[in-house]
Amino acid sequence: MACSVTVTNGTLDQKEIDAYIARATKKYGVEPRHIDINVCGDEVELDYDLGERPFHRIRRITGYLVGTLDRFNNAKRAEERDRVKHSLS
C-alpha cells in the first residue's frame, strides 16, 4: 500500500518523509494510508490515517482481561469452563 503525504507550512525532503512513514509503520504495525505533516518551525505535527481497524472485544474472565482464551494454560481453561455463569432472567 502506498502512503500519501501532505506537507503544509514548509517543505521536507523525501528522506525525512520516508522516516516518518517508517516510524508510523513501526509504532502502529501497519503502514498509514495518509500522513498530514504540518511544519511549525523546527518541529512537525503528524496526523496519521491508519484506515479501518478491527475491533477486539476484551472481557474479564477469572480476574484477567482477555480477548481470547487461546493463551490460557489447562488450569485456567478448566477454571473458565467450571465457573458459574449468571443470567438476568
Side-chain angles (χ1 to χ4, degrees):
M1 171 169 55
C3 177
S4 62
V5 178
T6 303
V7 179
T8 56
N9 297 330
T11 59
L12 299 174
D13 60 2
Q14 189 61 43
K15 185 177 178 181
E16 188 171 0
I17 292 171
D18 292 341
Y20 290 131
I21 294 171
R23 176 185 179 272
T25 302
K26 182 178 179 183
K27 182 175 181 178
Y28 298 110
V30 63
E31 183 177 85
R33 292 190 319 185
H34 182 77
I35 299 178
D36 287 320
I37 303 174
N38 184 17
V39 180
C40 302
D42 290 339
E43 298 180 5
V44 295
E45 294 175 356
L46 302 173
D47 185 29
Y48 302 114
D49 177 8
L50 301 175
E52 293 294 321
R53 304 291 302 253
F55 179 79
H56 297 285
R57 180 178 176 199
I58 301 294
R59 301 178 290 165
R60 181 175 297 277
I61 298 176
T62 66
Y64 295 91
L65 292 176
V66 296
T68 63
L69 303 178
D70 61 340
R71 296 186 66 198
F72 275 11
N73 62 22
N74 291 339
K76 273 293 173 198
R77 287 177 197 255
E79 184 180 339
E80 192 278 330
R81 184 181 60 244
D82 296 340
R83 72 187 174 128
V84 175
K85 296 175 176 84
H86 302 282
S87 65
L88 298 175
S89 56

